Amino acid sequence: MPFWWPLIVLAFAYAICKFLLMLIPPNVPSIDVDASDVLAHGKDTEENSFIYIPPRGRSQQSDKKVQCYEPATMKYLGYFPALSPTEVEERVTLSRKAQKTWAQSSFKLRRQFLRILLKYIIEHQELICEVSSRDTGKTMVDASLGEIMTTCEKITWLLSEGERWLKPESRSSGRAMLHKVSRVEFHPLGVIGAIVPWNYPFHNIFNPMLAAVFSGNGIVIKVSEHASWSGCFYFRIIQAALAAVGAPENLVDVITGFAETGEALVSSVDKMIFVGSTAVGKMIMRNAAETLTPVTLELGGKDAFIICEDADVSHVAQVAVRGTLQSSGQNCAGAERFYVHKDIYTAFIGQVTKIVKSVSAGPPLTGRYDMGAICLQEHSEHLQSLVNDALDKGAEIAVRGSFGHLGEDAVDQYFPPTVLINVNHNMKIMKEEAFGPIMPIMQFSTDEEVIKLANDSRYALGCAVFSGSKHRAKQIASQIQCGVAAINDFASNYMCQSLPFGGVKDSGFGRFAGIEGLRACCLVKSVVEDRFWPLIKTKIPKPIQAISGSRKRI
């Protein structure tokens, strides 16, 4: 990969953030957040100065501690307590008490909270990205785009439009009720619960927190056991911003733990947001059913990436490789099935092969590699099993990327970017979510065929369609069963924070982000009142009064 590519991306993100900083009023205070214990170049204590070797084949859960380490180097970072169900209930109770006060706060105060956060994020974006990189193994470029830019976009959208969509909304009363005024009101639900994954630890915390707090709720967030170190640092930022506006203590909380901790959260809150695997999502639903707690589920993805014969092959190959393989398992957009028209199949593979040969994986903070480490322990073994299954069934490896200098203890945390050809839907790689840098490519002949192939999946989160004809691309995308579609682009939807995000089928239901996601944090109340009260009042007609009276006598 040309050395200037990440520099351009980082410069672009930096320029946008600086522009946003110019829009923040000068009276917005700065906050101090202690980061001395998370700086990569700071002094290491005796406690976390060694290489951590996680136990294989068994869970950490028996230890009652969440052990944290850098996937890229296996350097030990520390541990956090796995909270018991009783402790979780206590945290929710404290948040509920604080929420009753916060629910009466003005939108002006809530916007000030957002501006304080935005100012800190922009001024400390390198620190935020570095913490994310250390805890998950992602590159600084991936963190800049996925953590900083998306979060800043969410904040700016809430600042400009959030109050508008939470104010009472007038509705038609109909012809029979012309003397009535109808409206919909949006009230806080109480305490929102969120269980979030490891792939973008900063944004995954801030995304539900921003919507919940701006709509007047409290929120308790269980962070992934694979990203607790970063999550607890990011919580300090939220605490400092809340304190700066005089918000009640404990309005927002971040908790750590394993399955038991998450289960207790589901049964304690007024609304549950879960982002993660389909299997765990089903468990969340079962637990939520006991208390009829509403849930929003954003689950697995196996998005179709469709390339028609009239697309710009060179451009799309760059988008596919940069957006998919270089994510190194950190990709939340989920493009994992590639369908290329037979007329450009060979040319596309040639372009992809050329690019992938220049892609290398290595420790992300060195700044010399295109890809970082894989966050999950033993996940590389799972990825290789998917590749082996495809090879056994007739697929071929077109090209694999390379590794940089890896520490001996961290070799298992890396997986080479891999391009598979001659794949089909009998292979696991085309059916199961991989969440890694594997690019399986299948060819198609007609639009009807590729639509059928794209819909032949239990997952239905998103899709991307590339064609020289925008009309054709839109026609194909409109027939694919999914919640998110990008036309001649990839993963750009999430940068548009006015849009709802979510899927269907095994990818879940409900939406976060946008108007729909914001109002999903609310009790939606229908209200009807007299238009000309007290001049015109609703009275029971006399014939009905007579009927009612006769029934009483009977």
Side-chain angles (χ1 to χ4, degrees), residues 307-371:
I307 309 160
C308 300
E309 77 280 4
D310 54 355
D312 183 339
V313 175
S314 176
H315 168 71
V316 179
Q318 287 278 351
V319 172
V321 174
R322 304 301 181 197
T324 305
L325 294 185
Q326 287 181 214
S327 63
S328 187
Q330 312 292 343
N331 183 16
C332 69
E336 295 193 355
R337 295 180 293 147
F338 292 79
Y339 301 102
V340 182
H341 194 277
K342 63 183 181 63
D343 291 349
I344 59 169
Y345 185 71
T346 302
F348 180 77
I349 292 173
Q351 288 286 337
V352 167
T353 299
K354 181 180 178 181
I355 300 168
V356 172
K357 282 182 178 179
S358 67
V359 174
S360 59
L365 289 180
T366 63
R368 298 195 300 268
Y369 303 106
D370 314 299
M371 290 173 39

Side-chain angles (χ1 to χ4, degrees), residues 17 34 115 125 134-135 137 165 167 173 191-192 212 226 249 264 289 305 347 372 382 384 406 461 494 541 552:
C17 289
D34 181 18
R115 291 191 183 102
Q125 54 186 296
R134 290 187 70 190
D135 206 16
W165 298 113
K167 282 186 172 181
S173 297
V191 177
I192 308 292
H226 303 291
E249 194 176 357
F305 194 109
H382 171 65
Q384 188 58 49
L406 306 179
L461 182 58
Y494 206 67
K552 288 181 180 179

